[in-house]
């Protein structure tokens, strides 16, 4: 993959799949272990988004047809995700290395 494209998306992280509560727990674990300072948190009924002070953005993305449009460079993914959605919707928006996906 072109390094310029990879650099463009390396600060866009996503937790993909999971229900809202499980995704929230995973995001909180990432925030506490990544060593980055949180700039802003948007946590609501349908939204989970963390913006770090270095510009990195971590969000929860549902595994559905409506999740198109995001571009991500680092991904924590539900190991039980629908494989059709994974290949048709999620993987086209992932710009990281396939081996670097963190399956939970």
């Amino acid at each position: 993959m072109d390094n310029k494209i990879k650099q463009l998306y390396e600060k866009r992280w996503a937790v993909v799949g999971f229900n809202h509560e499980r995704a929230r727990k995973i995001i909180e674990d990432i925030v506490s272990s990544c060593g980055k300072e949180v700039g802003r948190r948007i946590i609501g009924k349908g939204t989970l988004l963390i913006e770090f002070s270095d510009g990195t953005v971590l969000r929860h993305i549902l595994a559905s047809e409506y999740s198109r449009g995001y571009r991500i460079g680092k991904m924590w993914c539900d190991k039980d995700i629908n494989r059709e959605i994974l290949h048709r919707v999620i993987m086209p928006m992932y710009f990281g290395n396939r081996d670097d996906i963190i399956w939970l």
Side-chain angles (χ1 to χ4, degrees):
M1 176 181 303
D2 187 295
N3 277 338
K4 289 184 180 183
I5 292 174
K6 188 174 181 178
Q7 287 176 339
L8 183 64
Y9 297 111
E10 71 183 2
K11 289 189 173 191
R12 294 186 183 187
W13 299 355
V15 172
V16 179
F18 307 103
N19 65 42
H20 185 80
E21 288 306 313
R22 176 79 171 120
R24 186 174 181 167
K25 170 79 171 99
I26 292 167
I27 286 173
E28 290 302 324
D29 289 346
I30 294 167
V31 167
S32 67
S33 66
C34 73
K36 295 179 181 271
E37 182 180 332
V38 174
R40 183 167 74 147
R41 294 175 190 258
I42 302 172
I43 298 176
K45 186 174 180 179
T47 305
L48 295 171
L49 179 94
I50 305 293
E51 292 179 0
F52 296 99
S53 58
D54 72 349
T56 301
V57 175
L58 171 61
R59 70 176 67 235
H60 174 226
I61 299 174
L62 294 172
S64 74
E65 289 287 341
Y66 303 106
S67 298
R68 295 181 191 272
Y70 297 104
R71 300 292 183 254
I72 52 178
K74 188 168 184 176
M75 177 167 58
W76 290 259
C77 193
D78 185 348
K79 66 180 179 192
D80 297 323
I81 194 169
N82 177 300
R83 295 299 172 187
E84 182 179 343
I85 295 292
L86 175 68
H87 294 293
R88 282 191 314 107
V89 178
I90 306 302
M91 290 309 291
M93 62 187 191
Y94 177 60
F95 289 90
N97 295 322
R98 190 174 189 94
D99 294 337
D100 293 338
I101 297 171
I102 300 164
W103 298 96
L104 303 172

